Amino acid sequence: MAFGDIDRLAISTIRLLAVDQVSKANSGHPGAPLGLAPAAHVLFSQMRMNPKNPDWINRDRFVLSNGHAVALLYSMLHLTGYDFSIDDLKSFRQLGSKCPGHPEFELPGVEVTTGPLGQGVTNAVGLAIAQANLAATYNKPGFTLSDNYTYVFLGDGCLEEGISSEASSLAGHLQLGNLICVYDDNSITIDGATEVSFDEDVAKRYEAYGWEVLYVEDGNTDLDAIANAIAQAKKSHNKPTLIKMKTTIGYGSLNAGDHSVHGSPLKADDVKQLKTKFGFNPDKSFVVPQEVYDFYQAKILNPGVEAEKKWNQLFAQYQQKFPEVGAELKRRLAGQLPAGWEKVLPTYTPSDSALATRKLSEMVLDKICDELPELLGGSADLTPSNLTRAKDAEDFQPPANKLGSYAGRYIRYGIREHAMGAIMNGISAYGAHYKVYSGTFLNFVSYAAGAVRLSALSGHPVIWVATHDSIGVGEDGPTHEPIETLAHFRALPNMHVWRPADGNETSAAYKVAIESTTTPSIIALTRQNLPQLEGSSLEKAAKGGYILKDATNPDIVIVATGSEVSLSVDAAKILADKGLNARVVSLPDEFTFDHQSEEYKLSVLPDGVPIMSVEVLTSFGWKKYAHQSFGLNRFGASGKAPEVFKYFDFVPEGVVSRAEKTIAFYKGKDLISPIRSAF
């Protein structure tokens, strides 16, 4: 690429827009944008994208993993024609602003929500996986529908977070040549110079991961070197690339190169000298020369519109020549599921065999895998335990290692739970209606809590198949028994947390999870066998909570989940023999139940009757539904599962004893159902 005065003017404009945003908000990070502006200009000038349609499937993706440069991103989105006005930039970090403090997924041109360091680059691995899979599935000779790149800006903070190491290791194994990362090597973090905590050879580490490593010695001014490195990276088809680019944090500032310029607005005199240095009026803010707008329109916006137009023409021809797969891809791009897909979900009666819900989950996956080509699964090295791989599945692998292909729909994540969660978010964010699921033990979903939170915050409807859900793990002991895990994830806004009690409830969990467009799911599954329950059905369970076994004029309502539902049914029978009537309610997913009408919820958990919860997990959170709780408010124990359940009194007699005490305690008292709300 040939660079001239217009490029330098554009870079100065980017830098000053970022500085003005931070100064006006009196909050933010000016240092990284000042150093990264040249790389942003060079990269965006050659990316394929259509700012007028940010959702075009074959656009190049850009991920700002270093959220400290968010003002840089908003400047670029404004200049290149996305729906970001100057007034939006002026409202940086204000409530309800289109320019919040970190990039957020729902904004036009922002691919993933970043800010927690390491998440963005890991999301980018997911974006790259999705592209490779889409290309291998739908590209035909003469019809290249998918060939986009995923670009990432990351910094020392991202490289220090363990999640990025997990993801980068996997990306190297998968030979994702469509992934290009620019490392902003400015030697500064919040604490000061990186020498206080970080002096490893990053390049050697990434070479060991199987990446190509390129170098730009002067990222502040050498535009040719930046452009050449990106061009070379695009030639590396069987390796992801890390471009190690030296920059000066706060370039041009009076405090350039010092950590003080990282996270605080520049002082007024510094801003003025900076504008004067770059040839701008020091007394004006948010200035964009018209020739800069014209440059980006000619360089990015117009070519992007034309590129999508040609792609649409190609896809129309593709649908004529390959009508079956063309219709399938068209459906996926429209965000639609195949008509009637849910008809293959298994249903059960009490005469069917008792099975572990993890096994029932496997049976669901076997049924739906062929029905849903958008289903992309995996496991964190626990496939034989999670039972997450459909019988005829092919592994997602680089063709060169002959272990599968990029068209494969089962990912071997290795022992990388946190990366797996963030990679799933990236796959979900890619588009093409990917329905992504992965498995690990429920206890180890906690390892990925940061990624799970971002799934919920961003609205990525990913699915965690979380087996070994309780003290039913038995011999593995308290290290593997997730006493508190579900309470943690139930507390997250926008999160399905399913704990099904039998086959019908397992099918319901998958139905709701697959049909969800904005809410992720954790499906907690047993290792031990559970009976198929009389009174359960897919339709009832899909409401999140329902009456499994009713009683006339109940003396108590027992509400339970998972393996404790059948336990409660057995207890209800003993109570009946004692002349006490118990209604048994199964509550497999609080989030879904909470979204039912109040009338329905009160029909299940009514006024006037004591309600007792039974769950072999912490009782924390159950006051939302029950007057009394029988739970496990300590860590578990090692032993055979039946022995451990008996040790903690989770046997029918233990439930009966507590039910009788609850009935006696509340006898004669006026009771209001805990689900009633004053709001």
Side-chain angles (χ1 to χ4, degrees), residues 188-372:
I188 293 292
T189 61
I190 292 174
D191 268 5
T194 52
E195 64 185 7
V196 303
S197 62
F198 188 58
D199 50 14
E200 68 185 45
D201 192 324
V202 171
K204 286 183 180 178
R205 170 153 65 101
Y206 272 76
E207 287 171 355
Y209 288 151
W211 288 52
E212 178 182 35
V213 178
L214 304 174
Y215 299 86
V216 174
E217 296 301 329
D218 176 14
N220 299 317
T221 63
D222 194 344
L223 307 186
D224 288 312
I226 297 169
N228 291 338
I230 294 171
Q232 178 61 37
K234 292 170 74 172
K235 296 177 183 177
S236 181
H237 299 298
N238 62 350
K239 288 185 177 183
T241 300
L242 181 76
I243 300 173
K244 189 173 184 287
M245 182 181 71
K246 283 298 294 183
T247 67
T248 301
I249 192 169
Y251 179 82
S253 163
L254 297 174
N255 294 312
D258 189 84
H259 74 96
S260 63
V261 79
H262 170 72
S264 300
L266 303 184
K267 296 188 183 318
D269 63 332
D270 198 357
V271 174
K272 285 192 173 186
Q273 71 82 27
L274 193 65
K275 291 180 177 179
T276 301
K277 184 183 296 182
F278 291 150
F280 282 65
N281 186 329
D283 297 318
K284 291 186 177 182
S285 299
F286 295 97
V287 173
V288 180
Q290 185 58 46
E291 55 264 46
V292 172
Y293 282 131
D294 295 342
F295 172 85
Y296 283 124
Q297 179 166 341
K299 194 75 175 177
I300 297 175
L301 181 57
N302 293 345
V305 171
E306 184 62 25
E308 184 183 359
K309 180 180 177 181
K310 290 181 178 178
W311 187 92
N312 289 334
Q313 293 170 349
L314 182 68
F315 186 41
Q317 296 168 12
Y318 180 95
Q319 292 175 79
Q320 290 180 350
K321 188 164 184 178
F322 308 103
E324 186 174 344
V325 291
E328 177 181 288
L329 180 56
K330 182 180 179 181
R331 171 187 63 75
R332 289 181 59 176
L333 294 177
Q336 298 171 349
L337 291 167
W341 76 273
E342 72 282 358
K343 294 177 182 177
V344 303
L345 290 168
T347 57
Y348 300 85
T349 68
S351 62
D352 292 316
S353 299
L355 292 171
T357 51
R358 67 168 174 169
K359 181 64 179 177
L360 294 162
S361 165
E362 180 187 43
M363 293 162 69
V364 170
L365 292 171
D366 277 336
K367 291 288 187 181
I368 66 176
C369 189
D370 289 340
E371 299 292 320
L372 298 173

Side-chain angles (χ1 to χ4, degrees), residues 162 165-167 169-170 379-382 412-420 439-440 444 447:
S165 296
E166 293 180 27
S169 172
L170 182 61
S379 174
D381 197 56
L382 287 168
R412 306 287 186 163
Y413 284 99
I415 308 163
R416 303 179 178 102
E417 289 89 353
H418 199 180
M420 181 172 74
T440 187
F444 302 136
Y447 277 22

Side-chain angles (χ1 to χ4, degrees), residues 475-551:
E475 297 91 338
D476 285 337
T479 62
H480 282 53
E481 295 169 6
I483 303 307
E484 78 295 343
T485 308
L486 290 191
H488 172 191
F489 291 124
R490 284 168 176 162
L492 274 180
N494 191 40
M495 176 62 72
H496 291 294
V497 181
W498 291 90
R499 191 166 182 249
D502 71 351
N504 291 326
E505 293 192 4
T506 303
S507 290
Y510 273 99
K511 182 179 186 297
V512 174
I514 293 292
E515 291 180 346
S516 173
T517 58
T518 57
T519 303
S521 300
I522 296 171
I523 305 177
L525 303 163
T526 66
R527 186 176 71 171
Q528 72 272 27
N529 290 342
L530 301 180
Q532 310 305 331
L533 297 168
E534 184 176 356
S536 79
S537 74
L538 190 159
E539 292 75 20
K540 291 179 184 176
K543 292 184 176 181
Y546 64 101
I547 300 170
L548 176 76
K549 178 186 180 298
D550 210 353

